[in-house]
C-alpha cells in the first residue's frame, strides 16, 4: 500500500540520524563490509555496528576521532546471531538489515548518550529529529545480576533527560546486558521502546508478548571485556555503543504493521510480483505474503554479500549464501514462478538502496552473474542428486544415513525428495543416522566459529602489555635492536633462551607474515655469535614475534642488544613476487573485467598464488594476454610509488582494497603508475625491472565463482622456462617429431589410440555375445530365463550387451555376469514389462549377490550390482532359478 506523500522515507531517517550526530561532533564512518573482519575468526558476519570498532573499544587500535556514527550493513544468518529460519514468517526478522549507531571511544559516557538518544527521538521534526510522542515511549535499565550491580546511574540520567520515573523499568541480564559474542566487549544497556497502541495485540509493557510495544534503540554502556573463560575485565576506557534498527524504526515512523511494508521494500516487491503467478488478491494470503517476504529479504542479503566478495560454496560464508539463495528459490516455487528469476531481482535492490549505496551500480553485472550461476546450478541439483541416488547401494533394503547426508551436504539434494525416491522403491531411508551426521557437522561448525588465535595462548598474552615493535623493514634489512621478551616453544616466557623459541624485539627489519606475504628469515647477531630467525609473525597488533634457533655456548637473554639481519636475497625474491601479484591483479581486471576481485593470495620466495572472483575457466588466449600485460610492465622498468593517505582519499583515488581486510584510518598505497594501485602493507620492488620475467604456471577452480592462478617470477620463472624447454625436447625425441610438429603428431597418436580402444571394446562385446552363443535359455516356473557368463566386459559394456540380448528375448528374465578383472564381478538383471507382476529385477539381484560376495539393487525392470567372487557365478545363477521357482 503506498505511503502518504509527507511520510518520512527510510533514506531520510538514515540521513537525519547521521546528520544529527555529525552536529554533535561525531565522525560519520562508512559501513564496513557485511563479512566479519579477516583478523577476527570469532565473527563470520558483521552483525552489529560496533564490529568494525571492536579493536578501538579494546584499546588495540587508535583513531584520530573519539566519536563516530554509522549506518552499518548487517547480516544475521550464522553463528550465535542467526535469524534465517524466522525470516519471512515474522514482521521484524531479517538476514540483512541496517543498524544505525553512535559510538564513543572513551569520550562521553552514559549521560550524553542518554541525552542524545532522547533528544533525537522526541525532538522537533523541524530541527532534524524524529518527533515521536514521549508519552508512547518506555525505557529500560539493567536491574543487576550475577554479581554485576544494577544500573541506577542510567535510571537517574533518563529521569534527568525528561523521562517520567514510572516509564523507566528494570530488567535482568537477558534483556539489559549486551555482548557481541561469546567473547569481547560487553556491558549493561538501556533500551528505548515504543508503544504502538491498543490496536496491536500484545502486552502494554516492554519485553512482553506481541507486537504492541517494540524496542527501537539499544544503548550499550561498554564497560567490560569478556574473556573465553567468562570472566569480565574493565575496558581501558568506558565507551558507548548504540544500535537502532533502521527498518523497524522506519515502520514506526511510517505507521505500518511490518518492516516489509516500509518504502524501502516496495521496489523489490514490485519486481517479485512481476514474475509471480498470483493475483493481487492472492498476494494477501499468508502463504504468498510469507514467500514474497522471504524472497525480498534474501535478495537484499544475497546482493550485499556478493558485493562484499562472498561467492556460493559448501563451506563458511559461501555456504550461508548458498542456503539463502536456495531458500529463496524454493519459496519462489510457492509463488508459481517458473524458470530463473532470483538474480534478475538484484537491480530492484539498487533501485531501493542506491542512494545510500551507489557503489552497487558498477558491480551489478558481477552480482547478477554470481547469483545467476548459483540459481542455474541449483536447477541441475535434482538431476545430479537422482544420478547419485541410483548409484547408491540399497541391496540391504535400506539407504544409509551417510549416503543421505552426502546427498544433502555435497549435492544440496532435499531430504524430502530422498524419502520420495526410497518410498517408490520400497527402500527404508536411515534418517536417524542422517540426523546424527548432520548434528556432528553442526557441532564442528560451532566449534570452528569459536576458534581463537592460538598464538595468543600461554604467556604470549603479555604481548599486549609490552611496547609495540617499530618496523624498519621498508627502509633497511639490518638494524641494531633490543630483545624485549623471550618465549620457549610452548609460549612460556623465559629470561634466557637456548634452542628453539620466540623473541620480541623493540625494533625490527623483519617483515611479519600478513596480507598473504610470508615472514622474513635471517639472523640475530650478538657477542660474535648468531642465531637463526626462521619466521616472523604478528600474534598481536604491532608485536613482531621472531621464531629463533639459538645455538652456541651462550644463550640469548632478555635485554640483549643484537643486530637483526634479514636474508636479503630471499626478501628480494619475495618482493618480486609480491609486486608481480599486483601486476597480475591489474592485468586480470583489464582482460576479464572489473568484476575481478582478489579473494586471497600467497607470496613467498618460490612462487605466487592469486585467488580471484570469476565465473568460468580462463581461455588459453586470455592467460596468454594476462601474461603479456604483466611482462610488458616489468620490461618498462617503471618505478613503483608508495604513499600514505587517509582511507577515504585512497579509495577515491582508485586504490583497490581486499574485501574482508581491516584497514586503519591511514593506509599505505603501492602503485605502478598508469597500471596498478592497491592498498598494501607488504614489501615491493623499487622498480618493475627488478621482477624480471613472470610466467603463469597454472589456472584452476578453488570454489564456485573463485579461480586461482599460480605464477613464478625472476629466476624462478627462468628455471620454469628451462624445465619446460627440456620437457618439450624430451617429448619431441620420444615422438620422433620436430618440435614445431609435436602437437599435431601427439594429437594424431591420441586419435589412433582412441580408435583402437573402441575397436577392442567392440571385439570383446562381439566375442561375448557371439550372436547369442554365450546365452543359456531355459524355462523356470513358466518364465523364460536367459543367463550368460562372460569375461572382460565392464558394467557399461554389460549394459550394451543387455540391450542386444533384450532384442532377441523380448519376454524374458535375463541375467548377465561378467568377470571384469581378477577378483571382480559385474552383475545385471532385467525383467521384461509383461513379467514384472511375477518377478522383480531388484529382488532377483539381491538373491544372487551373496553367491558372488557382492551387493546391488535397482528397480523392477533393471538392477545392477557387483561382487568379489567370480567362481560364485554358477551358484548365483542357481540362486536366481530357485527364487523364480518359489
Amino acid at each position: 500500500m503506498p505511503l502518504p506523500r509527507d511520510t518520512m522515507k527510510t533514506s531520510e531517517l538514515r540521513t537525519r540520524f547521521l546528520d544529527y550526530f555529525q552536529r554533535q561532533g561525531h565522525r560519520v564512518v562508512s559501513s564496513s563490509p557485511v563479512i566479519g573482519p579477516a583478523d577476527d575468526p570469532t565473527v563470520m558476519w558483521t552483525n552489529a555496528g560496533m564490529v568494525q570498532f571492536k579493536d578501538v573499544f579494546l584499546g588495540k587500535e587508535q583513531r584520530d576521532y573519539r566519536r563516530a556514527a554509522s549506518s552499518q550493513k548487517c547480516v544475521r544468518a550464522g553463528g550465535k546471531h542467526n535469524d534465517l529460519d524466522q525470516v519471512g514468517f515474522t514482521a521484524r526478522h531479517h538476514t540483512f538489515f541496517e543498524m544505525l549507531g553512535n559510538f564513543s571511544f572513551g569520550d562521553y559516557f552514559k549521560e550524553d548518550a542518554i541525552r542524545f538518544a532522547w533528544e533525537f527521538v522526541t525532538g522537533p521534526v523541524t530541527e532534524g529529529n524524529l518527533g515521536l510522542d514521549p508519552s508512547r515511549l518506555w525505557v529500560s535499565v539493567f536491574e543487576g545480576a550475577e554479581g554485576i550491580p544494577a544500573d541506577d546511574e542510567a535510571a537517574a540520567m533518563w529521569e534527568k533527560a525528561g523521562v517520567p520515573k514510572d516509564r523507566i523499568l528494570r530488567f535482568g541480564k537477558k534483556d539489559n546486558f549486551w555482548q557481541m559474542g561469546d567473547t569481547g566487549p560487553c556491558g549493561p544497556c538501556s533500551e528505548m521502546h515504543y508503544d504502538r497502541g491498543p490496536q496491536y495485540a500484545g502486552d502494554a509493557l516492554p519485553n512482553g508478548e506481541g507486537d504492541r510495544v517494540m524496542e527501537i534503540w539499544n544503548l550499550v554502556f561498554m564497560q567490560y571485556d569478556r574473556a573465553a573463560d567468562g570472566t569480565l575485565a574493565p575496558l581501558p576506557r568506558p565507551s558507548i555503543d548504540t544500535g537502532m534498527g533502521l527498518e523497524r524504526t522506519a515502520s514506526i515512523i511510517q505507521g505500518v504493521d511490518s518492516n516489509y511494508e516500509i518504502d524501502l521494500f516496495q521496489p523489490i516487491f514490485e519486481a517479485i510480483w512481476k514474475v509471480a503467478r498470483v493475483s493481487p488478491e492472492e498476494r494477501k494470503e499468508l502463504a504468498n505474503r510469507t514467500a514474497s517476504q522471504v524472497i525480498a529479504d534474501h535478495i537484499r542479503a544475497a546482493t550485499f554479500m556478493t558485493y562484499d566478495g562472498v561467492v556460493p560454496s559448501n563451506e563458511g560464508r559461501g555456504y550461508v549464501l548458498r542456503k539463502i539463495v536456495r531458500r529463496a528459490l524454493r519459496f519462489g516455487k510457492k509463488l508459481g514462478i517458473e524458470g530463473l528469476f532470483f538474480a534478475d531481482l538484484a537491480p530492484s535492490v539498487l533501485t531501493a538502496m542506491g542512494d545510500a549505496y551507489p557503489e552497487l551500480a558498477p558491480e551489478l553485472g558481477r552480482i547478477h552473474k554470481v547469483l545467476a550461476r548459483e540459481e542455474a546450478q541449483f536447477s541441475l541439483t535434482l538431476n545430479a542428486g537422482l544420478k547419485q541416488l541410483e548409484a547408491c547401494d540399497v541391496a540391504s533394503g535400506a539407504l544409509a544415513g551417510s549416503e543421505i547426508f552426502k546427498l544433502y551436504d555435497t549435492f544440496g539434494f532435499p531430504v524430502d525428495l530422498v524419502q520420495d525416491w526410497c518410498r517408490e522403491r520400497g527402500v527404508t531411508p536411515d534418517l536417524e543416522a542422517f540426523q546424527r551426521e548432520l548434528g556432528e557437522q553442526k557441532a564442528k561448525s560451532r566449534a570452528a566459529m569459536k576458534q581463537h588465535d592460538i598464538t595468543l595462548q600461554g604467556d604470549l598474552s603479555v604481548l599486549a602489555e609490552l611496547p609495540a615493535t617499530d618496523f624498519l623493514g621498508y627502509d633497511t634489512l639490518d638494524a641494531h635492536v633490543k630483545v624485549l621478551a623471550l618465549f620457549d616453544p610452548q609460549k612460556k616466557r623465559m629470561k634466557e633462551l637456548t634452542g628453539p623459541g620466540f623473541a620480541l624485539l623493540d625494533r625490527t627489519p623483519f617483515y611479519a607474515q600478513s596480507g598473504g606475504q610470508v615472514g622474513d628469515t635471517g639472523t640475530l647477531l650478538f657477542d660474535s655469535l648468531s642465531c637463526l630467525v626462521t619466521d616472523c609473525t604478528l600474534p598481536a597488533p604491532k608485536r613482531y614475534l621472531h621464531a629463533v634457533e639459538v645455538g652456541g655456548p651462550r644463550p640469548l637473554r632478555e635485554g640483549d642488544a643484537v643486530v637483526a639481519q634479514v636474508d636479503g636475497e630471499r626478501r628480494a625474491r619475495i618482493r618480486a613476487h609480491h609486486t608481480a601479484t599486483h601486476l597480475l591483479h591489474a592485468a586480470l581486471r583489464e582482460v576479464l573485467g572489473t568484476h575481478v576481485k582478489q579473494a586471497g593470495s600467497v607470496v613467498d620466495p618460490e612462487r605466487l598464488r592469486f585467488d580471484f572472483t570469476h565465473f568460468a575457466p580462463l581461455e588459453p588466449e586470455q592467460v596468454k594476454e594476462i601474461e603479456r600485460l604483466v611482462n610488458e610492465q616489468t620490461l618498462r622498468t617503471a618505478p613503483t610509488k608508495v604513499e600514505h593517505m587517509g582511507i577515504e582519499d585512497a579509495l577515491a583515488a582508485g586504490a583497490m582494497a581486499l574485501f574482508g581486510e581491516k584497514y586503519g584510518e591511514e593506509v599505505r598505497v603501492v602503485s605502478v603508475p598508469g597500471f596498478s594501485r592497491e592498498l598494501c602493507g607488504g614489501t615491493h620492488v623499487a622498480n618493475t625491472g627488478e621482477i624480471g620475467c613472470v610466467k603463469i604456471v597454472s589456472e584452476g577452480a578453488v570454489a564456485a565463482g573463485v579461480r586461482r592462478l599460480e605464477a613464478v617470477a625472476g629466476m624462478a620463472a627462468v628455471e620454469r622456462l628451462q624445465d619446460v624447454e627440456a620437457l618439450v625436447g624430451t617429448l619431441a625425441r620420444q615422438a620422433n617429431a620436430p618440435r614445431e610438429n609435436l602437437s599435431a603428431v601427439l594429437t594424431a597418436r591420441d586419435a589412433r589410440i582412441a580408435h583402437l580402444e573402441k575397436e577392442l571394446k567392440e571385439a570383446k562385446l562381439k566375442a561375448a555375445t557371439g550372436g547369442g552363443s554365450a546365452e543359456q535359455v531355459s524355462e523356470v516356473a513358466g518364465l523364460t530365463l536367459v543367463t550368460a557368463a562372460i569375461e572382460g566386459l565392464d558394467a557399461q559394456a554389460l549394459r550394451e550387451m543387455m540391450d542386444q540380448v533384450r532384442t532377441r528375448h523380448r519376454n524374458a528374465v535375463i541375467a548377465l555376469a561378467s568377470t571384469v578383472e581378477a577378483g571382480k564381478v559385474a552383475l545385471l538383471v532385467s525383467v521384461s514389462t509383461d513379467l514384472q507382476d511375477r518377478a522383480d529385477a531388484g529382488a532377483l539381484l539381491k538373491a544372487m549377490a551373496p553367491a558372488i560376495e557382492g551387493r546391488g539393487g535397482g528397480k523392477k525392470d533393471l538392477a545392477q550390482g557387483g561382487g568379489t567372487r567370480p567362481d560364485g557365478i554358477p551358484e548365483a545363477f542357481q540362486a536366481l532359478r530357485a527364487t523364480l521357482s518359489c
Side-chain angles (χ1 to χ4, degrees):
M1 185 175 80
L3 299 168
R5 292 183 63 181
D6 60 349
T7 299
M8 187 187 298
K9 299 295 190 289
T10 308
S11 59
E12 183 182 348
L13 167 59
R14 185 194 296 113
T15 300
R16 280 176 175 255
F17 181 91
L18 297 176
D19 287 350
Y20 173 85
F21 281 100
Q22 191 169 44
R23 291 195 300 272
Q24 309 306 322
H26 291 63
R27 173 79 63 85
V28 174
V29 180
S30 300
S31 172
S32 63
V34 297
I35 58 179
D39 61 352
D40 190 347
T42 67
V43 182
M44 177 178 280
W45 302 105
T46 299
N47 52 35
M50 64 78 61
V51 171
Q52 68 167 308
F53 303 115
K54 182 177 176 182
D55 283 351
V56 184
F57 282 122
L58 291 172
K60 295 179 179 179
E61 179 184 346
Q62 301 294 323
R63 300 199 180 184
D64 63 353
Y65 53 84
R66 298 179 67 186
R67 300 182 176 197
S70 69
S71 181
Q72 174 64 50
K73 303 175 297 185
C74 295
V75 166
R76 290 188 177 173
K80 178 182 177 182
H81 300 285
N82 185 0
D83 293 340
L84 182 59
D85 292 337
Q86 294 172 290
V87 169
F89 294 91
T90 73
R92 312 283 166 227
H93 285 97
H94 302 287
T95 53
F96 173 89
F97 62 96
E98 288 182 80
M99 183 75 80
L100 304 173
N102 60 288
F103 310 91
S104 165
F105 313 118
D107 186 26
Y108 64 85
F109 198 45
K110 294 181 185 179
E111 184 170 9
D112 283 339
I114 289 169
R115 177 173 59 83
F116 292 152
W118 187 254
E119 181 178 80
F120 179 68
V121 169
T122 64
V125 175
T126 55
E127 296 179 12
N129 304 305
L130 300 186
L132 295 184
D133 182 356
S135 68
R136 289 193 170 209
L137 290 167
W138 295 89
V139 298
S140 63
V141 298
F142 182 50
E143 68 179 4
E146 300 176 10
I148 307 172
D151 201 352
D152 297 328
E153 185 181 31
M157 291 172 178
W158 280 113
E159 195 172 347
K160 179 181 177 181
V163 182
K165 193 170 185 176
D166 61 355
R167 306 290 289 186
I168 303 171
L169 305 179
R170 295 170 183 266
F171 292 93
K173 194 173 180 182
K174 175 179 178 292
D175 297 304
N176 279 84
F177 195 89
W178 189 93
Q179 57 190 58
M180 186 183 69
D182 293 336
T183 62
C186 57
C189 63
S190 277
E191 295 176 342
M192 298 183 73
H193 300 257
Y194 184 82
D195 186 349
R196 299 197 295 163
Q199 67 271 31
Y200 291 93
D203 297 337
L205 293 173
N207 300 324
E209 297 295 327
D211 276 347
R212 173 172 171 172
V213 179
M214 192 164 68
E215 176 200 338
I216 60 170
W217 205 345
N218 187 6
L219 282 63
V220 178
F221 307 129
M222 198 69 66
Q223 298 173 234
Y224 309 109
D225 179 24
R226 184 180 295 279
D229 62 2
T231 57
L232 299 179
L235 283 172
R237 297 171 297 176
S239 300
I240 293 295
D241 159 32
T242 83
M244 172 188 279
L246 176 69
E247 292 83 358
R248 67 167 51 201
T249 305
S251 73
I252 289 173
I253 291 174
Q254 296 176 10
V256 295
D257 296 339
S258 163
N259 290 5
Y260 293 99
E261 296 177 48
I262 65 174
D263 65 296
L264 202 62
F265 279 97
Q266 300 320 302
I268 302 174
F269 282 120
E270 288 172 9
I272 292 170
W273 296 131
K274 284 180 181 178
V275 295
R277 295 198 170 190
V278 293
S279 68
E281 284 303 312
E282 291 173 326
R283 296 174 190 174
K284 301 175 184 177
E285 295 176 5
L286 179 60
N288 292 332
R289 191 169 71 247
T290 297
S292 67
Q293 290 175 177
V294 168
I295 296 168
D297 171 90
H298 287 8
I299 188 59
R300 290 210 310 165
T303 297
F304 280 98
M305 286 178 177
T306 307
Y307 171 78
D308 281 338
V310 183
V311 292
S313 68
N314 283 334
E315 59 185 14
R317 298 183 181 101
Y319 184 60
V320 175
L321 176 56
R322 171 161 286 169
K323 286 203 301 184
I324 285 174
V325 173
R326 295 185 172 188
R327 187 170 188 258
L329 297 180
R330 289 200 299 273
F331 277 92
K333 299 300 181 187
K334 295 180 184 293
L335 294 179
I337 300 176
E338 296 181 355
L340 306 180
F341 75 95
F342 188 66
D344 294 336
L345 299 178
S348 68
V349 179
L350 177 63
T351 301
M353 306 181 69
D355 59 334
Y357 301 100
E359 61 269 23
L360 283 177
E363 296 296 319
L364 205 57
R366 174 179 66 87
I367 293 167
H368 185 277
K369 286 180 181 178
V370 171
L371 299 182
R373 184 183 180 92
E374 177 65 14
E375 191 173 1
Q377 184 175 321
F378 186 56
S379 70
L380 302 174
T381 294
L382 294 181
N383 292 334
L386 287 170
K387 184 177 179 181
Q388 184 70 20
L389 265 174
E390 295 292 349
C392 289
D393 173 25
V394 292
S396 64
L399 179 62
S402 58
E403 296 284 8
I404 303 172
F405 179 76
K406 180 180 178 182
L407 285 160
Y408 171 83
D409 188 55
T410 304
F411 294 89
F413 197 78
V415 177
D416 56 346
L417 293 185
V418 174
Q419 292 175 281
D420 290 341
W421 184 89
C422 290
R423 194 177 302 114
E424 292 171 3
R425 291 156 179 77
V427 173
T428 302
D430 191 346
L431 297 179
E432 289 186 7
F434 163 74
Q435 290 295 342
R436 282 197 301 272
E437 293 218 18
L438 184 62
E440 290 172 5
Q441 185 208 47
K442 289 181 177 179
K444 290 177 183 177
S445 179
R446 285 193 295 269
M449 287 295 295
K450 293 179 180 179
Q451 65 178 307
H452 296 279
D453 188 349
I454 59 172
T455 60
L456 285 179
Q457 291 178 352
D459 288 354
L460 285 188
S461 57
V462 76
L463 289 178
E465 302 169 10
L466 292 170
T469 306
D470 185 13
F471 178 59
L472 312 173
Y474 293 137
D475 303 313
T476 184
L477 294 180
D478 55 74
H480 292 272
V481 302
K482 181 180 179 181
V483 178
L484 294 180
L486 295 168
F487 303 87
D488 71 7
Q490 286 71 47
K491 316 299 195 308
K492 181 181 178 182
R493 191 168 182 183
M494 310 289 287
K495 287 296 182 181
E496 58 182 41
L497 183 69
T498 300
F502 301 92
L504 179 72
L505 309 178
D506 65 338
R507 309 188 306 157
T508 185
F510 286 85
Y511 183 85
Q513 178 183 341
S514 61
Q517 180 176 327
V518 298
D520 280 332
T521 62
T523 56
L524 298 182
L525 305 174
F526 61 102
D527 285 355
S528 302
L529 300 174
S530 68
C531 67
L532 292 177
V533 176
T534 59
D535 197 6
C536 185
T537 59
L538 270 173
K542 298 182 180 179
R543 273 66 176 181
Y544 286 65
L545 202 63
H546 306 71
V548 295
E549 292 276 355
V550 183
R554 157 151 154 39
L556 182 63
R557 298 189 180 98
E558 191 174 295
D560 272 345
V562 300
V563 176
Q565 197 167 76
V566 173
D567 182 337
E569 192 274 333
R570 181 176 181 272
R571 165 75 82 81
R573 286 185 283 134
I574 294 172
R575 284 202 315 261
H577 281 116
H578 201 154
T579 309
T581 301
H582 285 214
L583 298 178
L584 190 64
H585 190 184
L588 281 163
R589 288 170 63 87
E590 184 167 329
V591 173
L592 304 179
T594 56
H595 65 276
V596 169
K597 296 286 190 300
Q598 182 174 345
S601 68
V602 172
V603 176
D604 65 30
E606 310 305 327
R607 50 110 198 211
L608 68 87
R609 190 182 78 199
F610 188 77
D611 296 346
F612 59 97
T613 55
H614 191 55
F615 317 100
L618 271 62
E619 299 294 334
E621 287 304 312
Q622 291 176 318
V623 174
K624 187 176 179 180
E625 177 62 11
I626 291 164
E627 194 173 78
R628 186 193 70 78
L629 287 171
V630 171
N631 283 289
E632 186 178 74
Q633 293 303 313
T634 65
L635 291 171
R636 278 180 58 207
T637 63
T640 56
K641 183 179 180 182
V642 177
E643 304 168 273
H644 291 84
M645 61 180 71
I647 178 68
E648 299 295 341
D649 292 337
L651 296 176
M656 286 186 287
L658 175 61
F659 283 120
E661 193 68 40
K662 187 170 67 174
Y663 298 100
E665 286 301 299
E666 184 176 82
V667 293
R668 184 171 181 262
V669 180
V670 178
S671 305
V672 176
F675 192 74
S676 167
R677 189 180 184 90
E678 292 193 30
L679 307 184
C680 185
T683 61
H684 290 271
V685 298
N687 184 297
T688 59
E690 297 175 27
I691 298 172
C693 175
V694 177
K695 178 65 182 173
I696 295 172
V697 298
S698 68
E699 188 274 336
V702 179
V706 179
R707 309 293 300 177
R708 172 174 292 171
L709 283 179
E710 294 196 12
V712 288
M715 284 307 300
V718 172
E719 291 166 4
R720 174 77 180 192
L721 290 172
Q722 289 174 335
D723 290 343
V724 170
E725 180 72 12
L727 177 62
V728 171
T730 299
L731 291 174
R733 287 192 297 274
Q734 291 176 347
N736 194 27
R739 290 180 178 227
E740 59 271 19
N741 295 339
L742 182 59
S743 177
V745 170
L746 293 179
T747 299
R749 185 170 295 184
D750 287 344
R752 177 62 177 162
I753 291 171
H755 177 72
L756 292 174
E757 287 178 342
K758 181 180 178 183
E759 286 186 342
L760 178 61
K761 178 181 175 182
E762 290 173 350
K764 283 184 177 181
L765 185 59
K766 184 176 181 180
T769 56
S773 60
E775 299 163 14
Q776 301 294 320
V777 182
S778 60
E779 185 174 309
V780 179
L783 302 174
T784 299
L785 172 63
V786 181
T787 60
I790 57 270
E791 292 187 3
L793 297 188
D794 59 18
Q796 182 181 348
L798 204 61
R799 280 180 175 269
E800 293 178 15
M801 178 178 176
M802 178 64 80
D803 292 338
Q804 294 184 20
V805 177
R806 278 172 166 172
T807 61
R808 292 191 289 272
H809 305 280
R810 297 187 179 277
N811 307 98
V813 175
I814 305 169
L816 306 179
S818 172
T819 303
V820 183
E821 55 186 72
K824 291 190 177 180
V825 180
L827 198 59
L828 198 61
V829 178
S830 170
V831 177
S832 57
T833 304
D834 61 311
L835 302 181
Q836 288 173 17
D837 58 338
R838 300 175 60 189
D840 181 320
L844 294 174
L845 188 138
K846 288 178 183 178
M848 300 172 67
I852 58 170
E853 296 180 359
R855 59 178 64 184
K859 303 178 183 179
K860 282 192 171 186
D861 63 327
L862 187 68
Q864 65 178 350
T868 57
R869 183 172 167 249
D871 58 3
I873 291 175
E875 186 181 336
F877 286 153
Q878 188 58 41
L880 171 62
R881 294 186 181 89
T883 303
L884 289 173
S885 299
C886 294

